[in-house]
Amino acid sequence: MNSNVKINLKFNLNGKDIEITAGSSERLLDILRNKFELTGVKEGCGEGECGACSILRNGRLVNSCTIPAAAVDGDEIITIEGFSKTEEFRIISEAYAQCGAVQCGFCTPGFILATAALLRKNPNPDDEQIKEGLSGNLCRCTGYSMIMEAVKTASQNGAHIWRK
Ligand code: FES
Ligand code: FES
């Protein structure tokens, strides 16, 4: 598709209805970072492999680097900035801090959203289910054991939310 073709898009971004014009093949990742300054959405691999650019699209965890902005017309998009206003975020981010699961922090927004997506589906995951739930997210720094611990801690501390 010719990226010079401009299209009008309407979608809900972090709870606000927005309307923009974008190139038809512009990536959602670039729109979020460049037009809306949502820089918690990181670009790592740019190829759908690392999860640094994770967002929630209609409640599902997806990589914004592989989605053309044009595809989200009518959708509900939540980035880490929107998610950070929730009680779920407070519980998960505190668990990550408590378990030493944050070092450089580059991967953390993606991991926090992946954790939320996992716990919403499965409030009490076992080790295999945690590995599977976080399999789309890579971390260069922590080793995954602290992240696994953080997910378990968030599962316990947020039981009242995930099990509602
Ligand atoms: Fe999107 Fe790596 S930047 S998955
Ligand atoms: Fe550095 Fe995960 S904390 S990449």
Side-chain angles (χ1 to χ4, degrees), residues 29-126:
L29 169 64
D30 296 321
I31 300 270
L32 295 174
R33 287 182 57 87
N34 302 336
K35 282 208 166 68
F36 294 101
E37 298 181 1
L38 296 167
T39 53
V41 189
K42 306 292 186 195
E43 174 154 19
C45 65
E47 297 177 345
E49 300 293 332
C50 74
C53 64
S54 296
I55 57 159
L56 297 173
R57 177 188 187 190
N58 302 326
R60 273 193 61 226
L61 187 75
V62 294
N63 294 320
S64 61
C65 71
T66 58
I67 298 178
V72 302
D73 196 37
D75 287 353
E76 182 193 81
I77 302 296
I78 304 281
T79 69
I80 193 68
E81 288 84 354
F83 188 70
S84 70
K85 300 187 171 68
T86 65
E87 178 70 355
E88 288 170 285
F89 174 85
R90 186 187 67 71
I91 288 164
I92 297 171
S93 59
E94 283 179 9
Y96 271 68
Q98 186 186 327
C99 297
V102 180
Q103 288 185 24
C104 80
F106 185 80
C107 68
T108 308
F111 269 100
I112 286 179
L113 289 175
T115 302
L118 170 64
L119 293 178
R120 284 175 181 180
K121 271 195 298 202
N122 180 355
N124 191 19
D126 63 24

